[in-house]
Amino acid sequence: MFKYLRLVFVSGFNILWCYFKWMVRYSNHPEKYPFEKRYKAVRDVVKQFAIHCRMQWNIEGIEYLNKAEKPVVIIANHLSMMDIVCLIAISERPITFVAKKEVYKYPFVGRCLKSIDGLFLDRSDLRQNVKIIGEAVSDITSGKCSIGIYPEGTRLKNLEEKTGEFHPGSLKIAVRSKADIVCLAEYGTFRPLPKELNYKSYPIQFKFFEPISFEEYGKLSTTELSTLLHDKVAEEVERMKVVDKEYMDKKLYKKKLTYQWWRKYFDDQSR
C-alpha cells in the first residue's frame, strides 16, 4: 500500500494535471495537434513516471533506435504494460504501438497510446486487422514514426516459462513497409507495479539488436522470419534471467539510490 501511496504522491498529481491539461484533448482529437508535439508531451509525463518508479536501467543498443535514419519496426517480448511505458520513456524518436483493443480502456496507458495514434487490434475481426496493418504501414512509409509490436500477442504471465512463440501475422507490417526490424529483449518490467514487490530500486534490462534490413529478411516467409526473431530475443532473455538472478541474490535492489541518480542515469542511457 505504501508503494502506491508514494507513487500517487510523487507522480499522481502530475499525471492528473497532464490528464486535464492536454491528455484528454490529444487523445480525443489527435488530428488537431502535430504528432511530434503530442509525442513529446506523452514522453515527458511517461519519463517522469518511470523515474519515480525507481527503475535501475541497464540499456544496451539504444542508439539503434534513437539514431535510426528512418522509422523501424520494433519486435519485443512482452512481460508487462510497463513495457510500453519504458519504451516510450527511452525512445527519443517518435514511436507508437500496435496493441490489443483491451488496452484502449486502460486509464493511463490507454490515453497515452491514443494521444500518439496507437493502433488497437481486434483479433476477432479480420477486416479490422487488415485496416490496422495498412495504417501502420502508412505511418512507417510516410516517415511519421516507428512501430512497436509484441508478437507473442499477450504478456508472459508465468516468468518461469520461456518467451512465447511469435505470431507470423504480426510481422506483415514490417514486410509490407520494407522497414528495418530492430529486435528488443527485455526483462524486469514486471516488477515496478505489483504491490508485493516493494524494493528500493527495480532492475530493468533492455537490449536492442542491430537492425535487420529488408534486403536481409525479404526472402524469408513470415513463419521463417518469426522463428528467427523469436530465437534471437528468447536467447537473450534467458541470459538476462541469469544476470538478474545474480543481482537479486546479492540483494543489490536494497541499495538506496537518490532521485538525482535515477534522473542522471536515465538521461545518460537515453542519449
Side-chain angles (χ1 to χ4, degrees):
M1 180 60 71
F2 175 77
K3 175 180 182 177
Y4 294 141
L5 288 175
R6 182 187 63 80
L7 277 177
V8 169
F9 180 76
V10 299
S11 193
F13 295 110
N14 181 49
I15 291 175
L16 281 175
W17 169 257
C18 293
Y19 183 88
F20 290 109
K21 183 180 180 181
W22 55 261
M23 200 176 292
V24 172
R25 289 187 291 115
Y26 285 5
S27 59
N28 288 342
H29 302 286
E31 72 283 353
K32 294 184 179 181
Y33 308 94
F35 180 76
E36 291 76 10
K37 180 178 180 179
R38 288 183 275 125
Y39 183 78
K40 183 181 184 304
V42 168
R43 183 171 181 249
D44 285 346
V45 69
V46 164
K47 188 163 65 170
Q48 286 298 316
F49 177 72
I51 290 172
H52 288 305
C53 282
R54 303 191 303 201
M55 300 182 197
Q56 189 167 353
W57 301 89
N58 183 359
I59 307 173
E60 298 180 51
I62 186 65
E63 65 274 8
Y64 295 134
L65 183 60
N66 287 338
K67 296 182 180 179
E69 294 182 358
K70 54 185 179 180
V72 301
V73 173
I74 304 159
I75 300 295
N77 60 303
H78 195 19
L79 300 171
S80 163
M81 284 311 302
M82 288 297 290
D83 297 345
I84 292 175
V85 171
C86 291
L87 195 45
I88 292 174
I90 64 178
S91 178
E92 298 170 358
R93 299 288 296 275
I95 179 175
T96 194
F97 297 84
V98 175
K100 59 184 180 181
K101 66 176 184 178
E102 289 79 6
V103 178
Y104 184 88
K105 299 179 182 179
Y106 293 177
F108 177 55
V109 176
R111 282 285 182 182
C112 286
L113 284 184
K114 285 184 280 186
S115 296
I116 57 173
D117 298 340
L119 302 168
F120 299 94
L121 201 64
D122 182 353
R123 285 172 288 189
S124 65
D125 187 340
L126 182 59
R127 181 174 297 179
Q128 191 258 5
N129 289 359
V130 173
K131 179 182 177 182
I132 291 297
I133 290 174
E135 291 178 5
V137 170
S138 177
D139 286 345
I140 295 173
T141 55
S142 67
K144 176 181 176 181
C145 62
S146 296
I147 300 287
I149 301 173
Y150 299 98
E152 290 170 274
T154 187
R155 63 184 176 85
L156 189 67
K157 297 178 177 64
N158 184 355
L159 298 173
E160 298 299 320
E161 296 180 359
K162 294 187 176 181
T163 302
E165 296 297 320
F166 287 1
H167 297 298
S170 62
L171 302 176
K172 291 180 180 179
I173 294 171
V175 173
R176 286 182 54 184
S177 65
K178 299 182 180 180
D180 289 354
I181 295 175
V182 174
C183 287
L184 166 61
E186 54 189 28
Y187 195 75
T189 53
F190 52 86
R191 287 199 179 103
L193 292 184
K195 61 182 180 180
E196 63 271 15
L197 302 178
N198 191 16
Y199 302 155
K200 291 182 178 178
S201 64
Y202 299 89
I204 306 291
Q205 299 182 71
F206 268 39
K207 180 175 179 178
F208 296 88
F209 291 84
E210 188 173 350
I212 304 173
S213 68
F214 180 74
E215 287 69 25
E216 295 176 82
Y217 71 79
K219 294 182 180 180
L220 300 177
S221 67
T222 53
T223 300
E224 293 171 328
L225 180 58
S226 65
T227 301
L228 173 68
L229 301 181
H230 170 270
D231 293 348
K232 181 189 289 285
V233 171
E235 181 180 356
E236 181 61 24
V237 170
E238 292 305 306
R239 185 196 68 80
M240 287 179 169
K241 288 181 180 180
V242 175
V243 174
D244 183 80
K245 185 177 184 305
E246 293 175 353
Y247 185 96
M248 301 304 287
D249 286 347
K250 293 178 180 178
K251 302 187 184 303
L252 296 177
Y253 61 89
K254 291 187 176 182
K255 181 179 179 182
K256 188 174 182 179
L257 301 171
T258 65
Y259 173 81
Q260 288 75 17
W261 183 95
W262 275 298
R263 190 172 187 90
K264 181 179 184 302
Y265 188 84
F266 180 91
D267 290 342
D268 287 346
Q269 289 292 323
S270 64
R271 285 196 181 104

